[in-house]
Amino acid sequence: MPAFVTLSGRLVRLEPLSLAVVDDLVAAASEDRSTYAFTRVPNGRDEMVSYVEAALAEQAEGRTMPFAIRWLHTDRVVGATRLMNLEYWQGPMPWPPGARGAVGDVPSVADIGYTWLSASAQGTGVNRESKYLMLSLAFETWQVHRITLKADIRNVRSRAAIEALGAHLDGVRRAESRGADDTVRDTAYYSILSDEWPVVRERMHARMGLVEAA
């Protein structure tokens, strides 16, 4: 199972998700809930406790690495995100197919998801830098083969943010899941491969004003 880390940038610090930040997360999620039309975000303390406990249970199995997002400008926790659906391809194939075998030291592929931000942190660069920190960990430390990102096909804002990273649209899975608005959701699937990461990284450096480091 990968070692849990804190990831620090210029705007944000991604800290291990814990029950200690539940009240901060409740405050962040309560700012303006109209911004969560296509994103399922816990509403109230009871839902937030259940949300964090479920994430920690998956973390204990080596299946996810959840973070609280701290905006350094305000020193407030303004949302959450995670590296999830961690798959480990080393070792013998599990049998029967679909069975959960022992996990390895580092994942082979992963998703970035369950990302949400307070209304005040949206459009500030917090999301972009959070994605950059997780992508850097995944590709440069874990050396994963692929990162997957998904969005409700109707979520124009989230899809534009994913496409701005340079992610490739793999396709749309119709009737993929229940949407945040309780409708049947079509989901757009995007990916970034390991050999695409240098170009994506350079593009993100330019957008974040880090051209010198690219």
Side-chain angles (χ1 to χ4, degrees):
M1 190 167 14
F4 214 99
V5 294
T6 296
L7 305 175
S8 297
R10 297 189 305 170
L11 296 178
V12 303
R13 185 168 63 244
L14 302 186
E15 304 171 350
L17 186 66
S18 73
L19 290 169
V21 296
V22 162
D23 290 335
D24 294 331
L25 291 171
V26 171
S30 301
E31 284 189 6
D32 181 1
R33 295 194 59 83
S34 68
T35 63
Y36 304 139
F38 302 115
T39 305
R40 195 176 297 278
V41 177
N43 188 8
R45 197 175 196 283
D46 289 345
E47 286 190 11
M48 194 65 72
V49 168
S50 296
Y51 166 86
V52 173
E53 288 178 341
L56 296 180
E58 288 192 14
Q59 176 193 330
E61 295 181 344
R63 306 297 171 182
T64 192
M65 182 173 282
F67 297 98
I69 303 171
R70 185 174 296 277
W71 192 9
L72 298 178
H73 174 66
T74 61
D75 195 31
R76 291 188 298 116
V77 171
V78 292
T81 189
R82 67 186 72 172
L83 285 152
M84 53 187 276
N85 295 335
L86 307 183
E87 294 184 18
Y88 303 81
W89 293 353
Q90 56 273 62
M93 294 287 284
W95 188 261
R100 288 191 172 187
V103 299
D105 293 330
V106 292
S108 303
V109 296
D111 293 8
I112 291 177
Y114 278 104
T115 303
W116 62 270
L117 292 171
S118 64
S120 60
Q122 295 172 22
T124 63
V126 165
N127 179 57
R128 184 184 303 123
E129 188 173 82
S130 297
K131 293 288 194 298
Y132 173 76
L133 292 172
M134 289 186 289
L135 287 167
S136 297
L137 172 68
F139 284 118
E140 297 173 16
T141 300
W142 296 348
Q143 298 186 332
V144 299
H145 303 293
R146 183 194 74 240
I147 287 291
T148 298
L149 304 103
K150 298 179 286 189
D152 188 312
I153 195 172
R154 300 166 297 172
N155 195 338
V156 176
R157 183 171 181 171
S158 287
R159 293 187 65 187
I162 293 171
E163 290 167 5
L165 300 175
H168 174 78
L169 175 62
D170 294 325
V172 175
R173 180 175 292 179
R174 298 176 297 167
E176 189 269 339
S177 65
R178 178 180 177 180
D181 58 352
D182 290 327
T183 62
V184 177
R185 159 179 155 164
D186 295 343
T187 298
Y189 279 71
Y190 295 86
S191 64
I192 301 171
L193 303 183
S194 57
D195 61 357
E196 297 166 346
W197 169 238
V199 173
V200 171
R201 178 179 57 202
E202 183 175 354
R203 182 173 182 171
M204 295 187 76
H205 279 174
R207 289 177 63 86
M208 295 188 298
L210 299 175
V211 176
E212 299 85 0

